[in-house]
Amino acid sequence: MISEAVVEALQRFVPRENISLQEPMAGHTTFRIGGPADCFLQLENAEQLKNLRRYLGMAGVPFFVLGNGSNLLVNDSGYRGVILQIGQKMSNIAVEGCRIVAQAGATMAQVARAAMEHGLSGLEFASGIPGTVGGGVVMNAGAYGGEMSQVVTQVNVVSREGEIMELDNGTMEFAYRSSVIRNSPFTVTEVTFCLEPGDRDAIRNRMEELAASRREKQPLEYPSAGSTFKRPEGHFAGKLIMEAGFKGFQIGGARVSEKHCGFIVNAGNATAKDVKAVIAEIQAQVKERFRVELEPEIVMLD
């Protein structure tokens, strides 16, 4: 539990109205799963993040930086520490010629829409990705042949020591669903995109085509964290899961989608324990039958 002294100290860095205690995390993840966090803070700017990271590090208080919660499974018991949310209060988007500068809390869909409205092409693939720009750049999010590494030129981050740094595309070391930030103590605050001029109607039409494809192929009618597993080399996770007989497989409220076996959905009051049990069953059977190890793409927060 977070002590009263820590809560009082946090109020030096963010307004009291931005601080919630024992906040249910189910309301902050697209899985709609997760117990209460000891303390939940909504950040407004990079300066707050810088000061909070420095303080929490010195005080030895565990913390986790949250975006839209679209790739996250929070434990049923919640989180014993501080959640720092970079969301709506840090979501400004500025368009400068062919460049878009977006704060990390802006959603991928919002930035894609801004690009379309200004006749800029290159972010159509991102229009249906549910996460934030910050989370998207960390995991090099992608879909339909596009990914963040193709359009990102600069990423502003805050280091463990509270230092603000600028990383260029090469420094980001983008790889499949990964970047240098994935396993480092950096937190993204702002992302700069470089796009190409395009026809606004053609861009809009392409976004609508991709949206229709998602509705047809993905279980958008249920809460989920998107693709559960990374794509194993030489295979497709969803195909392996289906061939292993897991289509519609369910434990508690967690079910393997009948529409796309690469998704585990919350079919009703699922718990993190349910989801983890389904993941474990799939991993064991796929490894036994196909000698392929499936690695979860979702982040598990205990």
Side-chain angles (χ1 to χ4, degrees):
M1 299 293 289
I2 298 296
S3 69
E4 292 184 10
V6 170
V7 175
E8 289 180 8
L10 294 176
Q11 294 180 61
R12 301 202 306 264
F13 306 112
V14 296
R16 181 63 184 86
E17 60 267 26
N18 289 6
I19 303 175
S20 302
L21 303 180
Q22 294 301 303
E23 179 72 12
M25 290 303 294
H28 298 284
T29 70
T30 57
F31 237 146
R32 298 294 177 255
I33 295 172
D38 286 346
C39 188
F40 186 92
L41 302 185
Q42 293 176 294
L43 302 183
E44 297 177 343
N45 52 60
E47 190 68 19
Q48 289 179 354
L49 174 63
K50 181 179 74 172
N51 293 331
L52 281 164
R53 286 204 59 155
R54 187 179 296 148
Y55 166 73
L56 293 170
M58 291 189 300
V61 177
F63 68 91
F64 180 82
V65 180
L66 174 76
N68 197 41
S70 61
N71 196 43
L72 184 67
L73 178 65
V74 181
N75 201 40
D76 300 315
S77 61
Y79 182 68
R80 304 286 72 81
V82 178
I83 297 290
L84 304 176
Q85 186 192 41
I86 298 179
Q88 290 184 353
K89 294 181 183 292
M90 282 184 67
S91 60
N92 289 338
I93 300 170
V95 181
E96 306 165 355
C98 290
R99 296 168 66 249
I100 293 182
V101 180
Q103 287 186 302
T107 67
M108 299 281 281
Q110 288 171 333
V111 179
R113 191 178 307 116
M116 180 272 292
E117 290 172 350
H118 287 80
L120 296 176
S121 179
L123 273 171
E124 292 88 336
F125 75 90
S127 60
I129 296 176
T132 59
V133 166
V137 79
V138 169
M139 67 174 292
N140 190 21
Y144 298 102
E147 60 182 19
M148 294 290 271
S149 64
Q150 299 167 354
V151 289
V152 170
T153 57
Q154 181 176 302
V155 180
N156 291 9
V157 301
V158 171
S159 71
R160 176 187 295 161
E161 295 76 22
E163 179 184 4
I164 296 177
M165 304 170 61
E166 296 179 357
L167 309 179
D168 62 20
N169 185 286
T171 307
M172 283 294 294
E173 297 179 11
F174 284 118
Y176 174 69
R177 298 299 174 266
S178 183
S179 71
V180 71
I181 303 176
R182 187 80 191 248
N183 298 304
S184 70
F186 295 145
T187 301
V188 178
T189 60
E190 189 175 88
V191 178
T192 300
F193 300 88
C194 185
L195 306 174
E196 296 290 335
D199 179 78
R200 184 182 305 176
D201 290 337
I203 296 168
R204 181 187 294 109
N205 290 339
R206 178 57 177 161
M207 289 168 61
E208 291 175 352
E209 288 174 8
L210 296 182
S213 179
R214 284 189 177 89
R215 288 192 297 270
E216 178 186 353
K217 298 177 181 179
Q218 298 180 10
L220 303 182
E221 65 272 24
Y222 289 102
S224 78
S227 297
T228 306
F229 300 98
K230 294 180 180 179
R231 180 185 299 174
E233 188 173 354
H235 301 275
F236 291 97
K239 187 172 186 291
L240 291 174
I241 295 166
M242 181 176 66
E243 291 178 351
F246 280 99
K247 186 175 183 178
F249 177 79
Q250 186 164 342
I251 295 177
R255 179 195 303 160
V256 176
S257 169
E258 293 93 338
K259 185 181 287 188
H260 191 317
C261 289
F263 288 67
I264 295 175
V265 301
N266 182 349
N269 299 314
T271 64
K273 183 179 179 181
D274 295 338
V275 175
K276 291 176 181 178
V278 173
I279 288 174
E281 287 285 339
I282 289 173
Q283 287 176 314
Q285 289 300 315
V286 168
K287 182 176 182 179
E288 180 178 333
R289 291 194 57 179
F290 306 109
R291 298 294 185 265
V292 176
E293 295 197 17
L294 292 180
E295 180 184 354
E297 185 169 304
I298 58 177
V299 175
M300 300 185 191
L301 183 62
D302 295 322

